[in-house]
Amino acid sequence: MGENKNIVRGYCFGTAEDAEMARQEMKKIEYLEQHMDYGKAENILLVYRKAIENRIFQTPIGWEYLRSLQRKLSEFGDLQEEIPPVGIYTVFAHRIGDEIRVPAPRLPEKKKHDYKGRFITSLILNFILAIVVGAMFAIALTSAQPNILNYERALINKYAAWEQELTERENRIREQERQETAEK
């Protein structure tokens, strides 16, 4: 008779996937066993609570390990916190042909969003921002100070004014030189 690959640690699982899940849990348990300090109740309780909250163990292999952690925690008499029960999220009482219903974990209810209100608020804010940006461009274009929008025009006007001033000075100097040469 051949070896049944669905048997893990004395449990015969219905599917190969369940058996593989149990083998994975065995690896997790071996890892925890190697790295866990069983001398402190706080460490054991922390690992135990995280395993239950995150539903790390879902097969009888993992449940046995959690049960052994419960027993170790109960040995510590000074533990002041209540030890939570092991959560088993499967249904055992069903007959062939019955519909199996596994209670879904309760998720926080989602709040209904007021999309119409959000849309109107978004439109109003976008309109206000468009007006502000338009005002900024208007101020930048009409400003006498050079900015990124009118710097070329401002520089050309500035250099043109310098050129005109230099030309006027040159003309005055030439006029004075002519007067001086005419007086001599």
Side-chain angles (χ1 to χ4, degrees):
M1 196 156 128
E3 181 182 324
N4 188 345
K5 300 203 185 246
N6 290 354
I7 296 176
V8 180
R9 223 191 233 176
Y11 290 99
C12 182
F13 291 92
T15 64
E17 291 84 12
D18 288 345
E20 183 56 34
M21 188 185 307
R23 286 187 194 92
Q24 293 298 320
E25 287 186 6
M26 281 178 47
K27 289 179 184 177
K28 291 176 191 176
I29 292 168
E30 289 171 10
Y31 178 83
L32 287 172
E33 290 285 332
Q34 291 173 357
H35 295 89
M36 180 103 113
D37 178 16
Y38 288 105
K40 296 182 180 178
E42 296 85 21
N43 293 345
I44 299 171
L45 185 62
L46 180 68
V47 169
Y48 178 77
R49 283 185 185 274
K50 284 292 180 187
I52 289 176
E53 287 172 9
N54 296 333
R55 295 184 185 180
I56 293 174
F57 299 113
Q58 300 174 357
T59 69
I61 305 292
W63 299 337
E64 278 183 16
Y65 178 68
L66 290 175
R67 188 69 183 117
S68 71
L69 290 180
Q70 268 186 344
R71 283 191 290 275
K72 287 178 185 174
L73 285 170
S74 65
E75 291 173 6
F76 289 96
D78 61 341
L79 192 64
Q80 305 211 352
E81 295 184 46
E82 183 179 325
I83 303 169
V86 176
I88 299 177
Y89 302 101
T90 189
V91 176
F92 295 107
H94 68 275
R95 295 176 300 229
I96 297 174
D98 285 350
E99 185 177 326
I100 298 174
R101 292 187 183 143
V102 178
R106 290 191 175 244
L107 298 175
E109 291 184 25
K110 292 184 179 179
K111 296 179 183 176
K112 289 188 176 183
H113 297 288
D114 181 20
Y115 291 112
K116 186 176 181 181
R118 283 185 174 187
F119 179 72
I120 292 171
T121 304
S122 174
L123 281 177
I124 292 170
L125 286 175
N126 285 331
F127 182 72
I128 291 171
L129 288 174
I131 290 174
V132 169
V133 168
M136 288 172 42
F137 274 106
I139 290 170
L141 288 173
T142 59
S143 173
Q145 298 294 323
N147 57 47
I148 197 159
L149 298 175
N150 65 1
Y151 73 93
E152 185 177 12
R153 183 173 23 119
L155 286 176
I156 289 171
N157 290 344
K158 187 175 187 178
Y159 289 126
W162 284 352
E163 185 178 357
Q164 185 178 1
E165 186 180 324
L166 285 174
T167 307
E168 288 175 4
R169 282 186 183 177
E170 268 181 32
N171 290 338
R172 274 189 257 136
I173 290 173
R174 284 187 187 147
E175 188 66 39
Q176 284 178 352
E177 285 177 356
R178 279 190 220 142
Q179 285 177 359
E180 287 178 6
T181 53
E183 289 179 1
K184 286 188 182 182

